[in-house]
Amino acid sequence: MKRIWPFLRKSKAAMVLLAVELAIIGFTLAQAVQPAANYEIMPDQWEVIAKNATIDYDEEGRIGAVEPAEEESILRTSQLRLSAGHYKIEADYNFVPTQNKDEQESHAGVYFMADDAMVVTGERELFAVGRTHDTVVLNVRYTNKTIRLVAYDGGGVFTLGKVTIQQDRVYAWVRVLGWLLAAFFLDLLLLLFLPTSPLAIRNADLRGCLFLLGGAVLLASMPVLMQGGGIFGDDIHFHLSRIEGIAQGLKSGQFPVRIYSQAKNGYGYAPSLFYGELCLYFPAVLRTLGVSVQLSYHLYVLAVQMLTAGIAFYSFRQMFSHNKTALLGSVLYLLNPYRLQNLYWRAAVGEYTAMAFLPLIPAALCLLYGKKEPTKKQAGVACTEMVIAFGMLLQTHMISLEIMVLATAVFCLFHLRRTFSRCVLFVWLKSVAIVLLLNLWFLLPFLEIMGSGIYGGMYGGTTMNAGRMIQRLGYTIPELFTWNTYSKNIGIELIIGCMVFLWVWIGHDEEIPHREQKIGLWSTGIGLAACWASTNTFPWGLVGALPGKISGILLAIQFPWRYLTLAAILLTLATLCAVSLLRPKKLARPLAVLLLSASLLGLGLFYREFFPYESRSYRGDCGELVYADSIVSNMSWYYDNLYLPAGAKENRDGFVFETEVTTAKVERIEKTENGVMLQYVCDKEADGKIELPLLYYPVYSIKEGAGTLFKTENGMLGIQVPVGSSGTIRVAVQEPLHWRLVELVSVVTILVWTESSQKKKRKMVCEKA
């Protein structure tokens, strides 16, 4: 600090920046310490604005549309003065939905409007169907005194009782913390990159490369840096719902979150048992602090972008020992069309997160399978890289894990002698053991669930026809190698890079360095094979005809173009090998300029096509998230049907119960935050059965009362109660004891592995000293 302050005092620009940062933080702090805005609106305080609906008071004294009519805004408040921030809208209401001519269920809710432009976000929060009390969150961008709360009816009967508007003070303080962190990291970056700074990175070449890499991250993140942008894509609702579900689970006391209790309209849904979600805890924690689901997702995307750039640069620098080569590879990988398609067109959160960790695998293989046996230090580094890479693939995207395991297995089998050498085999065994122990908290429940045979919706079959169905979804070869609609290509720059590598390898008389030749040939060979596997010319039908277990694993990819995940990293490596080989001939720079130009042109074409589509859709915070796709499905039930228990059947507006299960008399049943509470009476002739409004997952236990849980024929959670019994039963989320024990094993493994790594580092430092 003694060196930093004199530097700042000498720089007028630095002092201006500090003044601006302090002003922003001070303004945000002043807003946070103000008394929270608090309004209470009674039924007689609403102004009627409906044009078609019949507005009156119902029997309970609530006001609103007492008869179904066309959808419209029906009520509004007087003008309110609200400062920027989040507001909780808590309402007592009655809502009876109707269906329109397209058999879409109607919904009702509230939104903010203002006389001045850009003051409010325009989102509409919708109240839950089947309840009479709900809390939603609305956002205000700028402090204004012309804001009104408006009640919106989608066509059903909708009446409102008492409504309260209260500012979320937690979020106000989170904003202060957010600005403090933003100012800290901005200042730190400036101190690291300004050449005259006492903390500047002394290697000018490295400093320049990292600066340009940061610019590439900003270029790749343009959609999420725009107001309301980046919330678009095929799977965006599912993944935003996952963030919301994890946040709700954390609020209700679950850790780790095993089930989204509010999903499926309170029936609960458990993607967490089938799908790694560790990285999504970051946006979910932000969500629990009051950050909107949109901003939480934006921050997650930015974090993944920086992580991808950082890991790629580290890995390529380790492999090629050259800063500019590492920079080129990182930019090409960051701006790869398939990766951008995953980010923005498809919103494939698991897949694009997994791609952040892929470069570590070839980096580790280069250490283990070089011309010479790896040293003890290299083996240790490779082990750490393998643990991080494969562990995070397991926690982000199982299909990417499968693809990378297959590719790595082919490589290891080809190098069988080196693989079974003492040093390398020990690294593999150690890496696998650590990955398994670290992830045992997820793996054991996953294997139990999959082994039960109750949940099989995610697999499409193991026949030749199933393989042909996958083959039909593949890209055409012209699509794969050219710029096209939706960026269905691997990147022209990578094709150019591979062609140059093959030209250098075939045409040069001089001996090619062993390292570049080996990396380039393996990367080109497996990379082009992965490209072929992603097309509709690959014989996936024959894969489906393989013995059941093998074909079942291979066909789990669902879409063949997922193999472009593997192709993107390998063809980037082949391209870097071409650049590295041309460096002695002074041709590396022209090739790098050509590749970067092609990559930036592809990015421009991508954004030119993407932004008009993306701007058509706006995603609200919570209620809008749940119902926004009601045109194609009721978002209460949206979370897909891949992880439903056998017997559970959905239609557009709920579950279908084909079998009568309940035999005991249920006097009262109500859903709680994490389960249900019921009162029952069982006759004296036989044990009774009660079917609960919860999907069957082995995460529930009986917390109060007597009975045995089982899966009903309808895929629901059932209770068998003793003959002649009666009373109250409370069922809530509580993991089995052995799941809790393996969680403890994973925690202990983290501590032991971390401490072991620190000891090795301290030992190395002492040896150098």
Side-chain angles (χ1 to χ4, degrees):
M1 194 66 189
K2 290 181 179 179
R3 292 185 299 162
I4 296 174
W5 182 243
F7 165 75
L8 294 177
R9 290 180 61 186
K10 291 178 183 178
S11 172
K12 292 181 180 179
M15 297 305 292
V16 170
L17 177 62
L18 282 174
V20 171
E21 290 174 345
L22 289 173
I24 293 174
I25 293 169
F27 178 74
T28 311
L29 183 61
Q31 288 188 321
V33 297
Q34 288 179 0
N38 196 345
Y39 292 92
E40 186 176 279
I41 299 126
M42 302 306 293
D44 60 353
Q45 294 176 300
W46 290 95
E47 177 186 344
V48 177
I49 57 173
K51 296 180 179 179
N52 300 302
T54 302
I55 306 299
D56 204 344
Y57 293 91
D58 63 14
E59 295 177 353
E60 303 297 326
R62 294 181 289 253
I63 190 171
V66 293
E67 294 179 5
E70 297 179 11
E71 60 177 280
E72 63 175 335
S73 299
I74 58 173
L75 303 167
R76 72 178 183 183
T77 66
S78 57
Q79 291 183 341
L80 311 172
R81 189 190 187 286
L82 301 177
S83 57
H86 284 6
Y87 290 85
K88 295 179 180 178
I89 316 299
E90 190 172 355
D92 294 317
Y93 62 93
N94 177 52
F95 180 63
V96 181
T98 59
Q99 290 189 337
N100 62 19
K101 61 182 179 181
D102 297 321
E103 296 185 351
Q104 299 166 13
E105 189 179 70
S106 63
H107 300 287
V110 292
Y111 63 93
F112 279 144
M113 65 176 291
D115 294 347
D116 300 327
M118 298 291 291
V119 169
V120 295
T121 60
E123 64 202 343
R124 293 186 176 182
E125 291 291 351
L126 304 179
F127 293 128
V129 180
R131 292 167 58 181
T132 59
H133 187 88
D134 199 5
T135 301
V136 297
V137 176
L138 290 173
N139 304 295
V140 174
R141 288 190 186 129
Y142 304 108
T143 301
N144 195 269
K145 59 183 179 181
T146 68
I147 300 171
R148 301 174 188 264
L149 182 67
V150 181
Y152 169 85
D153 182 15
V157 173
F158 179 40
T159 54
L160 284 165
K162 184 174 76 170
V163 177
T164 60
I165 304 173
Q166 186 169 23
Q167 190 173 10
D168 184 354
R169 293 332 258 132
V170 172
Y171 177 69
W173 285 103
V174 169
R175 288 184 68 203
V176 175
L177 178 61
W179 280 112
L180 281 169
L181 290 174
F184 171 78
F185 284 113
L186 176 60
D187 294 344
L188 180 62
L189 288 174
L190 290 175
L191 289 171
L192 290 174
F193 287 105
L194 287 175
T196 57
S197 165
L199 297 183
I201 299 170
R202 293 308 166 198
N203 185 327
D205 187 49
L206 176 61
R207 186 173 66 241
C209 288
L210 292 176
F211 180 79
L212 292 175
L213 186 60
V217 169
L218 292 177
L219 275 177
S221 306
M222 288 303 294
V224 296
L225 296 174
M226 299 169 62
Q227 180 66 45
I231 309 295
F232 178 81
D234 297 341
D235 296 336
I236 190 65
H237 276 140
F238 174 62
H239 295 300
L240 294 181
S241 300
R242 291 172 68 199
I243 294 172
E244 192 72 28
I246 296 170
Q248 290 170 350
L250 292 173
K251 287 179 181 178
S252 64
Q254 288 190 60
F255 187 78
V257 176
R258 300 294 191 182
I259 190 166
Y260 310 157
S261 298
Q262 304 302 316
K264 300 285 183 183
N265 208 23
Y267 278 77
Y269 197 41
S272 299
L273 294 175
F274 305 86
Y275 203 108
E277 297 188 327
L278 185 62
C279 291
L280 288 183
Y281 278 75
F282 165 61
V285 168
L286 294 176
R287 187 76 184 100
T288 62
L289 296 175
V291 179
S292 70
V293 73
Q294 307 102 310
L295 181 55
S296 297
Y297 181 72
H298 283 173
L299 293 173
Y300 177 77
V301 172
L302 288 172
V304 172
Q305 297 278 58
M306 290 186 284
L307 191 66
T308 303
I311 289 177
F313 186 81
Y314 164 83
S315 301
F316 296 149
R317 189 168 182 253
Q318 175 183 298
M319 296 171 71
F320 295 96
S321 302
H322 194 264
N323 291 329
K324 291 178 181 176
T325 301
L327 171 65
L328 174 65
S330 302
V331 173
L332 294 179
Y333 188 60
L334 197 67
L335 304 184
N336 182 264
Y338 179 69
R339 184 178 170 278
L340 292 175
Q341 185 196 55
N342 283 336
L343 260 171
Y344 299 124
W345 277 119
R346 294 181 51 232
V349 171
E351 199 165 349
Y352 73 65
T353 305
M355 291 183 77
F357 301 95
L358 295 188
L360 288 171
I361 297 175
L365 293 177
C366 285
L367 290 176
L368 294 177
Y369 292 85
K371 200 167 185 178
K372 298 179 180 179
E373 285 274 341
T375 64
K376 191 174 182 180
K377 179 181 178 181
Q378 289 174 329
V381 172
C383 179
T384 301
E385 292 171 349
M386 290 289 193
V387 169
I388 294 172
F390 285 106
M392 292 312 298
L393 288 180
L394 179 62
Q395 287 294 337
T396 55
H397 198 238
M398 297 288 278
I399 294 173
S400 294
L401 173 66
E402 175 191 316
I403 291 170
M404 293 308 297
V405 167
L406 288 172
T408 306
V410 170
F411 182 87
C412 291
L413 288 174
F414 189 87
H415 298 85
L416 199 61
R417 180 175 295 179
R418 175 63 66 85
T419 300
F420 281 92
S421 66
R422 182 177 179 182
C423 177
V424 175
L425 183 60
F426 176 74
V427 170
W428 276 115
L429 293 175
K430 182 180 178 182
S431 301
V432 171
I434 294 174
V435 168
L436 292 177
L437 289 172
L438 284 174
N439 296 280
L440 200 58
W441 67 273
F442 167 74
L443 280 172
L444 182 64
F446 171 76
L447 294 174
E448 282 188 12
I449 289 285
M450 296 306 299
S452 69
I454 297 175
Y455 311 89
M458 65 286 293
Y459 298 111
T462 57
T463 65
M464 181 173 285
N465 184 54
R468 286 173 179 159
M469 290 174 65
I470 289 179
Q471 181 176 341
R472 185 178 61 183
L473 298 171
Y475 292 161
T476 64
I477 291 178
E479 278 182 325
L480 188 62
F481 297 127
T482 58
W483 285 310
N484 54 65
T485 306
Y486 307 122
S487 297
K488 294 180 177 179
N489 65 92
I490 189 58
I492 293 175
E493 61 277 7
L494 298 188
I495 303 304
I496 294 172
C498 285
M499 291 174 64
V500 172
F501 169 77
L502 292 174
W503 171 73
V504 173
W505 177 62
I506 294 171
H508 274 55
D509 297 331
E510 303 141 15
E511 184 179 349
I512 298 178
H514 172 79
R515 182 182 180 83
E516 279 78 2
Q517 176 178 302
K518 187 173 183 180
I519 295 173
L521 288 175
W522 271 100
S523 299
T524 301
I526 298 182
L528 291 178
C531 286
W532 181 36
S534 71
T535 69
N536 56 14
T537 63
F538 189 81
W540 282 104
L542 296 179
V543 174
L546 294 172
K549 292 285 186 181
I550 299 174
S551 62
I553 292 173
L554 295 177
L555 295 187
I557 62 163
Q558 299 173 315
F559 306 106
W561 30 260
R562 293 189 193 275
Y563 272 89
L564 294 182
T565 296
L566 174 62
I569 181 61
L570 292 181
L571 297 188
T572 300
L573 283 174
T575 299
L576 295 185
C577 288
V579 172
S580 183
L581 291 173
L582 289 177
R583 189 174 298 113
K585 301 291 184 181
K586 307 298 183 182
L587 295 174
R589 183 172 294 179
L591 177 59
V593 170
L594 174 63
L595 296 172
L596 286 173
S597 299
S599 182
L600 290 172
L601 179 59
L603 178 68
L605 293 173
F606 176 88
Y607 282 157
R608 187 183 70 172
E609 183 178 16
F610 172 75
F611 279 122
Y613 278 91
E614 199 256 2
S615 62
R616 297 177 188 177
S617 181
Y618 182 84
R619 300 294 181 263
D621 198 26
C622 178
E624 187 79 0
L625 165 67
V626 174
Y627 299 111
D629 263 359
S630 60
I631 293 175
V632 294
S633 65
N634 184 331
M635 287 299 292
S636 299
W637 313 93
Y638 178 76
Y639 286 79
D640 71 31
N641 60 1
L642 292 180
Y643 313 115
L644 290 177
K649 295 182 180 179
E650 288 181 298
N651 62 14
R652 220 195 61 79
D653 292 319
F655 289 100
V656 178
F657 298 91
E658 296 181 344
T659 305
E660 182 64 37
V661 175
T662 300
T663 58
K665 180 182 178 182
V666 179
E667 296 181 336
R668 183 176 66 89
I669 185 168
E670 62 179 85
K671 291 182 180 178
T672 62
E673 205 169 37
N674 273 328
V676 296
M677 178 85 76
L678 63 93
Q679 290 181 337
Y680 77 99
V681 176
C682 182
D683 62 37
K684 298 182 179 180
E685 296 181 0
D687 288 349
K689 294 181 179 179
I690 303 170
E691 187 171 53
L692 303 178
L694 298 172
L695 285 167
Y696 178 81
Y697 298 102
V699 296
Y700 296 103
S701 66
I702 298 175
K703 306 287 287 183
E704 181 181 336
T708 305
L709 299 177
F710 68 97
K711 185 187 81 69
T712 72
E713 292 86 344
N714 298 315
M716 301 294 156
L717 186 67
I719 306 177
Q720 182 169 324
V721 294
V723 58
S725 63
S726 63
T728 299
I729 294 179
R730 183 168 68 91
V731 176
V733 175
Q734 181 175 322
E735 296 180 27
L737 178 59
H738 63 289
W739 288 14
R740 284 296 186 189
L741 291 176
V742 296
E743 289 167 11
L744 181 61
V745 170
S746 294
V747 171
V748 171
T749 303
I750 292 173
L751 297 175
V752 171
W753 185 49
T754 303
E755 179 59 26
S756 175
S757 300
Q758 292 299 320
K759 280 185 178 179
K760 289 180 180 178
K761 287 182 179 179
R762 288 195 292 268
K763 184 178 180 182
M764 291 173 59
V765 170
C766 292
E767 289 175 352
K768 287 181 180 179

